[in-house]
């Protein structure tokens, strides 16, 4: 059964709200606001009862899969379990029912939490300061690039170029361009990591930064990281870390020890905050001392009287969003870090890497593995090895839905044809990994024996394969 | 399998030359790589194109590809029908799916283009 | 032991055996030994669930929250009523533990809800198209300005000083650092745009004119007159609105706004100390291929059943990379979901009722305050739910006294507008009762 649109459930005079009568002397609206400011006619919003609203959205939720319902090995997205206690804590009225302009003395609890969160992120990354304001990873990238730009402007150096590996997330390039930089791509070598010669050729005094993802999007650690850092630092550029894949490194390596000068974290990936069906996320930015003066305002500081917001920062790039950040997300991530503690951090990366290698081992004889070496927290298979009978990666993804699994990330990274990027995370048990491997192997057999079953999938959901071409050709973007 | 009467560019455009007028489109191979096209962005009539530079783009659901002009010159005709029905490019890439007509400025530019056999070699390598 | 990691020692052994590795440590062979941490990080020890709850409850109690204090503070973050069903429905973990709906067939719930969000916002704003959300109202405004520049390449942006100061600050950071455009600010007269100054400053170089309605001072702008001036010079018209106000006020589509944005927090998101909130972005249809962010479209499956997918993705960073219309990836989907549920619940008749309650109560409060000797309106322009009051005693003293009586007072305008030294900006939403307002009045009366 497909659920109708909420508009289609509307009936005149039904209502889902309960509001009090006006308890102050009511005046005619036109007496308070001149008529030409007032809206005429209907709003065109639905009229539905409270049970209608509830059933509608509960039914919609049933047509959506999340980590709580299914294995969700979406590469580069770190879809790990989102602890329930963190949800409850984030909903305490002391956290949700506070106004951003309340007196600082009345919000010391949240300010203290933000201050401590900065200290925790500094400790595990080796950065000197962290701003918690950016709302998402890409927002963190943009904030960082603005800081880098301000730094060179202040030094009166003209640096207009950002280096980005060909395996990078699209956001790296988009953020750089957004910030007015020119982009030069660095090639990956046959082992899937940075081609050092290509980097040497392209690194110059015009380059403001190299943006690296470690491990990279193939799930591989950059073995030449120290040389990379030296090449970039010798020309006085910055080494930027896209922290999307930090789940492999927690407690094992500190980004600062790799030569990283500036980075963003994805609290909605590594630090287990729920992704909300697309957001909100949180993308804090960490920097070494050189760049600390450029952090957005306000920072959270502490003095003898307590915690306070500091706007008095002369070289700051300014504000990058209203107020102070996606606080509700930061609270959840803080809870997660405190639950893990120093003992737990390393277990995260150990088990994330173990699970990924195990799954890779189970699958590599059935699907083409372009970079056959131990992986970190994720690995990339290719749906292209010449004998797939015109079955494409997209088809494999859709067929996986029939087996009750959310598909991996597909068609990314771009340097692998027909890519399937698989990240199981540490919160999945061996039985789940085995079941997923069996499904993939089963699909591999189907490709040999009955490819149309794969090409026409999914078969077992409330909806069949959706026509994205039609959606793009005959755009219908609202009711 | 690629029409002998046409010339081809490295970036998968074809050119049909009729005296000093070049008709430009993209090859069947290009449309198959891109899959179903859903949007095409073409230049305005008054404009001019130069060899190797972008004159527009075609889009499928999941990819965008620049259109690179194989010749330089003034644009004298644009296939307006494509903006409403980009699927024509998939259906008939060498016929109804043509994109622009250009008044050729420099005939020697044509010499650098491939013939159908050379193009077939290129496609084999890219497959 | 961490309950979120299922692998036992036995599991680990079996898995390592399958992999053919001696230890988990061995899987990290790509990381040179000298780069690895030699000791544990200097972090606190792990906490059990009970310990965590106790510690965080302790922190939350160091905040004074608005179940205990009565708020007359707004200034961009509003204490509106949130029906109980919102937490229950947006708290369905099928929604909140899902990722961006890349696999449409597995994400129909979120996709349909987002399509409904787009539809409801288009309806409310009377605009052609709406995206799936941006980070907040301020960044939505910045994205609109960037789009305007892409469309007309104008070098100058005119923004009225009555636009939220935080939005103007974000705008400055965004467009100075990215596009190098110049921003000219237009003064206000009596709390609204100085039209004469706008006419004077607008030119062929003006890319766009930005106003907020109701503006930061709560006043209603002459949006139609501003529209005429803006479009006469060939500039684009960008308006930032409070979505609740649209229950009563003329929507931006009706006064020909090219882009209309807004802070959507008031539509069912909590105060949250400033975030997560909801960036609403709408525009005219002609800008469709240039707008930022995700968009959901309707389509059918192979049997002709209606379904929903992410569409027009070629605008986005994961496909177009450096030529994408914006760098945004993760947005504020869950807040958009809350907005759909809120708007569905309130609906055709509820939203105007909320808006009218705000209007009546704020005007009642204003009338009563102005009866107290020494208090007078800072501005006399019409207002919606916020109003500025010139006070006979320093606003910080007033707020201190109110706070001691469990009332969160108004916003001290001098914090961001030095010339408005003695003014407090009060906000009265539908949640304030006559009793709350009368108590505020008595306290103010007692101060003079």
């Amino acid at each position: 059964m497909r659920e109708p649109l909420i508009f289609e459930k509307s009936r005149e005079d039904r209502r889902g709200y309960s509001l009090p009568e006006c308890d102050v002397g009511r005046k005619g609206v036109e007496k308070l606001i001149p008529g030409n400011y007032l809206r005429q006619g209907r709003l065109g919003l639905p009229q539905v009862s409270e049970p209608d609203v509830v059933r509608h959205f509960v039914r919609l939720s049933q047509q959506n899969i999340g980590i709580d319902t299914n294995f969700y090995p979406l590469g580069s997205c770190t879809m790990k379990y989102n602890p329930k206690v963190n949800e409850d804590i984030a909903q305490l009225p002391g956290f949700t029912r506070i106004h951003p302009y309340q007196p600082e003395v009345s919000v010391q609890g949240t300010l203290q939490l933000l201050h401590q969160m900065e200290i925790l992120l500094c400790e595990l990354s080796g950065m000197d300061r962290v701003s918690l304001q950016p709302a998402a990873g890409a927002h963190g990238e943009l904030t960082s690039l603005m800081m880098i730009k301000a730094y060179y402007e202040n030094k009166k150096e003209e640096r207009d170029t950002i280096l980005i590996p060909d395996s990078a997330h699209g956001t790296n390039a988009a953020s750089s361009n957004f910030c007015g930089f020119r982009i030069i791509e660095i090639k990956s070598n046959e082992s899937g990591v940075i081609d050092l010669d290509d980097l040497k050729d392209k690194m110059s005094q015009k380059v403001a930064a190299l943006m690296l993802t470690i491990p990279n999007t193939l799930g591989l650690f950059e073995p030449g990281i120290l040389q990379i850092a030296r090449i970039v630092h010798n020309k006085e550029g910055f080494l930027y870390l896209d922290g999307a894949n930090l789940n492999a490194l927690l407690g094992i390596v500190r980004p600062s020890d790799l030569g990283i000068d500036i980075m963003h974290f994805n609290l909605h990936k590594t630090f287990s905050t729920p992704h909300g069906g697309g957001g909100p996320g949180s993308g804090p930015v960490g920097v070494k001392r050189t760049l600390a003066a450029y952090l957005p305002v306000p920072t959270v500081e502490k003095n003898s009287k307590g915690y306070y917001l500091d706007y008095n920062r002369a070289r700051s790039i300014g504000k990058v969003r209203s107020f102070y950040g996606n606080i509700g997300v930061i609270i959840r991530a803080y809870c997660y870090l405190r639950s893990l503690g120093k003992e737990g951090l390393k277990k995260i990366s150990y088990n994330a890497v173990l699970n990924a290698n195990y799954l890779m081992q189970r699958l590599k004889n059935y699907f083409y593995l372009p970079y056959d070496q131990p992986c970190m927290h994720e690995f990339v298979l290719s749906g292209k090895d010449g004998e797939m009978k015109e079955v494409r990666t997209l088809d494999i993804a859709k067929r996986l839905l029939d087996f009750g699994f959310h598909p991996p990330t597909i068609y990314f990274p771009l340097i692998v044809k027909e890519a399937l990027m698989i990240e199981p995370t540490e919160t999945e048990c061996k039985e789940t990994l085995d079941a997923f491997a069996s499904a993939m192997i089963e699909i591999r057999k189907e490709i040999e024996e009955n490819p149309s079953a794969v090409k026409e999938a999914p078969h077992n959901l409330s909806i069949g394969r959706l026509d994205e071409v039609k959606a793009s050709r005959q755009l219908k973007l609202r009711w | 399998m690629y029409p002998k009467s046409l010339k081809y560019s490295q970036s998968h455009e074809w050119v049909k030359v009729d005296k000093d007028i070049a008709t430009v489109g993209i090859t069947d191979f290009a449309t198959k790589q891109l899959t179903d096209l859903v949007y095409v962005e073409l230049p305005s009539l008054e404009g001019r194109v130069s060899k190797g530079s972008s004159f527009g783009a075609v889009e499928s659901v999941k990819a965008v590809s620049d259109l690179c002009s194989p010749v330089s010159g003034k644009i004298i005709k644009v296939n307006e029908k494509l903006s409403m029905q980009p699927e024509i490019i998939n259906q008939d890439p060498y016929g109804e799916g043509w994109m622009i007509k250009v008044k050729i400025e420099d005939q020697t530019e044509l010499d650098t283009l491939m013939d159908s056999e050379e193009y077939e070699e290129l496609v084999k390598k890219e497959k | 032991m961490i309950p979120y990691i299922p692998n036992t020692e036995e599991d680990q052994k079996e898995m390592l055996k399958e992999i053919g590795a001696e230890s988990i440590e061995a899987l990290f062979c790509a990381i040179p030994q000298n780069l690895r941490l030699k000791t544990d990080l200097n972090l606190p020890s792990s906490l059990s669930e009970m310990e965590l709850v106790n510690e965080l409850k302790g922190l939350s109690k160091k905040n004074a929250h608005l179940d205990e204090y009565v708020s007359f503070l707004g200034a961009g973050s509003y204490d509106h009523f949130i029906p109980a069903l919102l937490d229950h429905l947006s708290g369905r973990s099928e929604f909140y533990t899902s990722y961006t709906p890349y696999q449409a067939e597995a994400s129909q719930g979120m996709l349909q809800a987002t399509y409904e969000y787009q539809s409801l916002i288009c309806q409310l704003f009377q605009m052609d198209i709406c995206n799936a959300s941006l980070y907040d109202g301020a960044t939505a405004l910045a994205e609109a300005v960037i789009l305007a520049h892409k469309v007309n390449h104008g070098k100058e942006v005119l923004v009225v000083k009555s636009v939220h100061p935080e939005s103007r600050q974000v705008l400055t950071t965004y467009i100075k650092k990215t596009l190098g455009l110049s921003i000219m600010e237009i003064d206000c007269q009596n709390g609204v745009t100085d039209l004469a100054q706008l006419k004077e400053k607008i030119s062929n170089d003006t890319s766009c004119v930005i106003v907020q309605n109701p503006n930061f001072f709560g006043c209603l702008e002459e949006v139609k007159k501003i529209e005429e001036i803006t479009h006469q010079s060939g500039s684009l018209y960008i308006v930032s609105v409070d979505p609740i106000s649209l229950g009563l006020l003329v929507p931006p589509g009706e006064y020909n706004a090219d882009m209309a944005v807004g802070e959507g927090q008031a539509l069912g998101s909590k105060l949250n100390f400033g975030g997560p909130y909801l960036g609403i972005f709408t525009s005219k249809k002609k800008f469709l291929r240039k707008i930022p962010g995700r968009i959901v479209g309707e389509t059918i499956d192979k049997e002709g059943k209606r379904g929903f997918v992410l569409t027009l993705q070629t605008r986005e960073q994961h496909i177009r990379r450096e030529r994408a219309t914006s760098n945004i990836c993760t947005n504020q989907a869950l807040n958009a979901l809350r907005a759909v549920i809120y708007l569905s619940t309130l609906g055709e008749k509820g939203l105007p009722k909320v808006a009218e309650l705000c209007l009546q109560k704020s005007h009642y409060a204003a009338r009563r305050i102005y009866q107290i000797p020494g208090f007078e309106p800072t501005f006399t322009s019409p207002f919606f739910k916020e109003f500025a009051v010139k006070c006979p005693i320093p606003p910080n003293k007033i707020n201190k006294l109110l706070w001691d009586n469990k009332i969160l007072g108004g916003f001290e305008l001098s914090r961001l507008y030095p010339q408005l030294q003695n003014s407090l900006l009060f906000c009265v939403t539908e949640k304030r009762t006559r009793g709350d307002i009368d108590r505020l009045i008595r306290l103010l009366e007692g101060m003079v």
Side-chain angles (χ1 to χ4, degrees), chain C residues 50-94:
Chain C
M50 272 191 281
E51 291 165 321
L52 180 75
V53 170
N54 285 336
E55 173 139 356
L56 270 287
K57 268 196 179 150
L59 272 181
S60 81
K61 281 184 184 143
K62 290 186 187 173
N63 295 334
H65 63 79
L66 299 186
D67 286 347
E68 291 165 349
Y69 285 72
V70 169
S71 170
F72 289 95
L73 180 60
S77 176
Y78 298 105
D79 186 23
H80 285 289
F81 174 66
I82 300 178
L85 56 77
L86 254 96
D87 277 352
H88 287 270
L89 297 174
S90 75
R92 297 277 304 184
S93 68
E94 297 91 331

Coordinates of all heavy atoms in Angstrom, one line a residue, chain C residues 50-94:
Chain C
M50 N 24.7 4.5 33.4 CA 24.2 5.3 34.6 C 25.1 6.4 34.9 O 24.6 7.5 35.2 CB 24.2 4.3 35.8 CG 22.9 3.6 35.9 SD 22.8 2.7 37.5 CE 23.8 1.3 37.2
E51 N 26.4 6.2 34.9 CA 27.4 7.3 35.2 C 27.2 8.4 34.2 O 27.3 9.6 34.5 CB 28.8 6.8 35.2 CG 29.1 5.8 36.3 CD 30.4 5.0 36.1 OE1 30.7 4.6 35.0 OE2 31.2 4.8 37.1
L52 N 27.1 8.0 32.9 CA 26.9 9.1 31.9 C 25.7 9.9 32.1 O 25.7 11.2 32.1 CB 26.8 8.4 30.5 CG 26.7 9.3 29.3 CD1 28.0 10.0 29.0 CD2 26.2 8.6 28.1
V53 N 24.6 9.2 32.4 CA 23.3 10.0 32.6 C 23.5 10.9 33.8 O 23.1 12.1 33.7 CB 22.1 9.0 32.8 CG1 20.9 9.7 33.3 CG2 21.9 8.2 31.5
N54 N 24.0 10.4 34.9 CA 24.2 11.3 36.1 C 25.1 12.5 35.8 O 24.7 13.6 36.1 CB 24.9 10.5 37.2 CG 23.8 9.6 37.9 OD1 22.6 9.8 37.8 ND2 24.3 8.5 38.5
E55 N 26.2 12.3 35.1 CA 27.1 13.4 34.8 C 26.4 14.4 33.9 O 26.5 15.6 34.1 CB 28.3 12.8 34.1 CG 29.2 13.9 33.7 CD 30.7 13.7 33.9 OE1 31.0 12.7 34.6 OE2 31.5 14.6 33.5
L56 N 25.7 13.9 32.8 CA 25.1 14.9 31.9 C 23.9 15.6 32.5 O 23.6 16.7 32.1 CB 24.8 14.1 30.6 CG 25.9 14.1 29.5 CD1 26.0 15.5 28.8 CD2 27.2 13.6 30.0
K57 N 23.1 14.8 33.3 CA 22.0 15.5 34.0 C 22.6 16.6 34.8 O 22.0 17.7 34.9 CB 21.3 14.5 34.9 CG 20.1 13.9 34.1 CD 19.1 13.2 35.1 CE 18.0 12.6 34.3 NZ 17.4 11.4 35.0
G58 N 23.7 16.4 35.5 CA 24.4 17.4 36.3 C 24.7 18.6 35.4 O 24.4 19.8 35.8
L59 N 25.2 18.4 34.3 CA 25.5 19.5 33.4 C 24.3 20.3 32.9 O 24.2 21.5 33.0 CB 26.3 19.0 32.1 CG 27.8 18.9 32.1 CD1 28.3 18.4 30.8 CD2 28.4 20.2 32.5
S60 N 23.3 19.5 32.6 CA 22.0 20.1 32.1 C 21.4 21.0 33.2 O 20.8 22.0 32.9 CB 21.0 19.1 31.6 OG 20.3 18.5 32.6
K61 N 21.6 20.6 34.4 CA 21.0 21.4 35.6 C 21.8 22.7 35.8 O 21.3 23.5 36.5 CB 21.0 20.5 36.8 CG 19.9 19.5 36.8 CD 19.8 18.7 38.1 CE 18.7 17.7 37.9 NZ 19.0 16.4 38.6
K62 N 22.9 22.8 35.2 CA 23.7 24.1 35.4 C 23.1 25.1 34.4 O 23.5 26.2 34.4 CB 25.1 23.9 35.1 CG 25.9 23.1 36.2 CD 27.4 23.1 35.9 CE 28.1 22.2 36.8 NZ 29.5 22.1 36.4
N63 N 22.2 24.7 33.5 CA 21.5 25.6 32.6 C 20.1 26.0 33.2 O 19.5 25.1 33.8 CB 21.2 25.0 31.3 CG 22.5 24.7 30.5 OD1 23.5 25.3 30.7 ND2 22.4 23.7 29.6
A64 N 19.7 27.2 33.1 CA 18.4 27.6 33.5 C 17.5 27.5 32.3 O 17.8 28.2 31.3 CB 18.4 29.0 34.1
H65 N 16.5 26.7 32.3 CA 15.8 26.5 31.0 C 14.3 27.0 31.1 O 13.8 27.4 32.1 CB 15.8 25.0 30.6 CG 15.1 24.1 31.6 ND1 13.7 24.0 31.6 CD2 15.6 23.3 32.5 CE1 13.4 23.1 32.6 NE2 14.5 22.7 33.1
L66 N 13.7 27.1 29.9 CA 12.5 27.8 29.8 C 11.2 27.0 30.2 O 10.1 27.5 29.9 CB 12.4 28.4 28.4 CG 13.5 29.3 28.0 CD1 13.2 29.9 26.6 CD2 13.7 30.4 29.0
D67 N 11.4 25.9 30.8 CA 10.3 25.3 31.5 C 10.2 25.9 32.9 O 9.2 25.9 33.5 CB 10.4 23.8 31.6 CG 10.2 23.1 30.3 OD1 9.6 23.7 29.4 OD2 10.5 21.9 30.2
E68 N 11.3 26.5 33.3 CA 11.3 27.2 34.6 C 11.2 28.7 34.5 O 10.8 29.3 35.5 CB 12.7 26.8 35.3 CG 12.8 25.4 35.7 CD 14.2 24.9 36.0 OE1 15.1 25.7 35.8 OE2 14.3 23.8 36.6
Y69 N 11.6 29.2 33.4 CA 11.6 30.7 33.2 C 10.6 31.0 32.1 O 10.4 30.2 31.2 CB 13.0 31.2 32.8 CG 14.0 31.3 34.0 CD1 14.5 30.1 34.5 CD2 14.3 32.5 34.5 CE1 15.4 30.1 35.6 CE2 15.2 32.5 35.6 CZ 15.7 31.4 36.1 OH 16.6 31.4 37.2
V70 N 9.9 32.1 32.3 CA 9.0 32.6 31.2 C 9.7 33.5 30.3 O 10.4 34.4 30.7 CB 7.8 33.3 31.9 CG1 7.0 34.0 30.8 CG2 6.9 32.3 32.7
S71 N 9.7 33.2 29.0 CA 10.5 33.9 28.0 C 9.8 35.0 27.3 O 8.7 34.7 26.7 CB 11.1 32.9 27.0 OG 11.8 33.6 26.0
F72 N 10.4 36.2 27.3 CA 9.9 37.2 26.3 C 11.0 37.6 25.4 O 11.2 38.7 24.9 CB 9.4 38.5 27.1 CG 8.2 38.2 27.9 CD1 8.1 37.9 29.2 CD2 6.9 38.4 27.2 CE1 7.0 37.6 29.9 CE2 5.7 38.2 27.9 CZ 5.7 37.8 29.2
L73 N 11.9 36.6 25.1 CA 13.0 36.8 24.3 C 12.8 36.1 22.9 O 12.4 34.9 22.9 CB 14.3 36.2 25.0 CG 15.6 36.3 24.2 CD1 16.0 37.8 23.9 CD2 16.7 35.7 25.1
G74 N 13.1 36.7 21.8 CA 13.0 36.1 20.5 C 14.3 36.4 19.8 O 15.2 35.6 19.9
A75 N 14.2 37.4 18.9 CA 15.4 37.8 18.2 C 16.0 36.7 17.3 O 17.3 36.5 17.3 CB 16.5 38.4 19.2
G76 N 15.2 36.0 16.7 CA 15.7 35.0 15.7 C 15.6 33.5 16.2 O 15.8 32.6 15.5
S77 N 15.1 33.4 17.5 CA 15.0 32.0 18.0 C 13.8 32.0 18.9 O 13.7 32.8 19.9 CB 16.3 31.7 18.8 OG 16.1 30.5 19.5
Y78 N 12.7 31.2 18.5 CA 11.4 31.5 19.1 C 10.8 30.3 19.9 O 10.9 29.2 19.4 CB 10.5 31.9 18.0 CG 10.9 33.1 17.3 CD1 11.5 33.1 16.0 CD2 10.8 34.4 17.9 CE1 12.0 34.3 15.4 CE2 11.3 35.5 17.4 CZ 11.9 35.5 16.1 OH 12.3 36.6 15.6
D79 N 10.2 30.7 21.0 CA 9.6 29.7 21.9 C 8.1 29.5 21.5 O 7.3 30.1 22.2 CB 9.7 30.2 23.3 CG 9.3 29.2 24.3 OD1 9.2 28.0 24.0 OD2 8.9 29.6 25.5
H80 N 7.9 28.8 20.4 CA 6.5 28.5 20.0 C 6.1 27.1 20.5 O 7.0 26.3 20.9 CB 6.4 28.5 18.5 CG 6.4 29.9 17.8 ND1 5.4 30.7 17.9 CD2 7.4 30.5 17.1 CE1 5.7 31.9 17.3 NE2 6.9 31.7 16.8
F81 N 4.8 26.9 20.5 CA 4.3 25.7 21.0 C 4.6 24.5 20.1 O 4.5 24.7 18.9 CB 2.8 25.8 21.2 CG 2.1 24.5 21.5 CD1 2.3 23.9 22.7 CD2 1.3 23.9 20.6 CE1 1.7 22.7 23.1 CE2 0.7 22.7 20.9 CZ 0.9 22.1 22.2
I82 N 5.0 23.4 20.6 CA 5.3 22.2 19.8 C 4.4 21.1 20.2 O 4.5 20.6 21.4 CB 6.8 21.8 20.0 CG1 7.7 23.0 19.5 CG2 7.1 20.5 19.2 CD1 9.2 22.7 19.6
P83 N 3.5 20.7 19.4 CA 2.6 19.6 19.8 C 3.3 18.3 20.1 O 4.4 18.0 19.6 CB 1.7 19.4 18.5 CG 1.8 20.7 17.7 CD 3.2 21.2 18.0
A84 N 2.8 17.5 21.0 CA 3.4 16.4 21.6 C 3.8 15.3 20.5 O 4.8 14.7 20.5 CB 2.6 15.7 22.6
L85 N 3.0 15.3 19.4 CA 3.2 14.2 18.4 C 4.5 14.5 17.7 O 5.1 13.5 17.1 CB 2.0 14.1 17.5 CG 1.5 15.3 16.7 CD1 2.4 15.6 15.5 CD2 0.1 15.0 16.2
L86 N 5.0 15.7 17.7 CA 6.3 15.9 16.9 C 7.4 15.1 17.4 O 8.1 14.5 16.6 CB 6.7 17.4 17.0 CG 6.4 18.1 15.7 CD1 5.0 18.8 15.7 CD2 7.5 19.0 15.3
D87 N 7.7 15.0 18.7 CA 8.8 14.2 19.2 C 8.6 12.8 18.9 O 9.5 12.0 18.6 CB 8.9 14.4 20.7 CG 9.7 15.7 21.0 OD1 10.3 16.3 20.1 OD2 9.8 16.0 22.2
H88 N 7.3 12.3 19.0 CA 7.0 10.9 18.8 C 7.3 10.5 17.3 O 7.9 9.5 17.1 CB 5.6 10.6 19.2 CG 5.4 10.6 20.6 ND1 5.5 9.5 21.4 CD2 5.1 11.6 21.5 CE1 5.3 9.7 22.7 NE2 5.0 11.0 22.8
L89 N 6.9 11.4 16.4 CA 7.0 11.0 15.0 C 8.4 11.2 14.5 O 9.0 10.4 13.8 CB 5.9 11.8 14.2 CG 4.5 11.4 14.6 CD1 3.5 12.3 13.8 CD2 4.2 10.0 14.3
S90 N 9.0 12.4 14.8 CA 10.4 12.6 14.3 C 11.3 11.7 15.1 O 12.5 11.5 14.7 CB 10.8 14.1 14.4 OG 11.0 14.4 15.7
G91 N 10.8 11.2 16.2 CA 11.7 10.2 17.0 C 11.6 8.8 16.5 O 12.2 7.9 17.1
R92 N 10.9 8.5 15.4 CA 10.9 7.2 14.8 C 12.2 6.9 14.3 O 12.7 7.7 13.4 CB 9.8 7.1 13.7 CG 8.4 7.3 14.1 CD 7.7 6.1 14.6 NE 7.8 5.0 13.7 CZ 7.2 3.8 13.9 NH1 6.5 3.6 15.1 NH2 7.2 2.9 13.1
S93 N 12.9 5.9 14.8 CA 14.3 5.7 14.4 C 14.5 5.2 13.0 O 15.5 5.3 12.4 CB 15.0 4.8 15.4 OG 14.6 3.5 15.3
E94 N 13.4 4.8 12.3 CA 13.5 4.5 10.9 C 13.8 5.8 10.1 O 14.5 5.8 9.1 CB 12.2 4.0 10.3 CG 11.7 2.6 10.9 CD 10.8 2.8 12.1 OE1 10.9 3.8 12.8 OE2 10.0 1.9 12.3

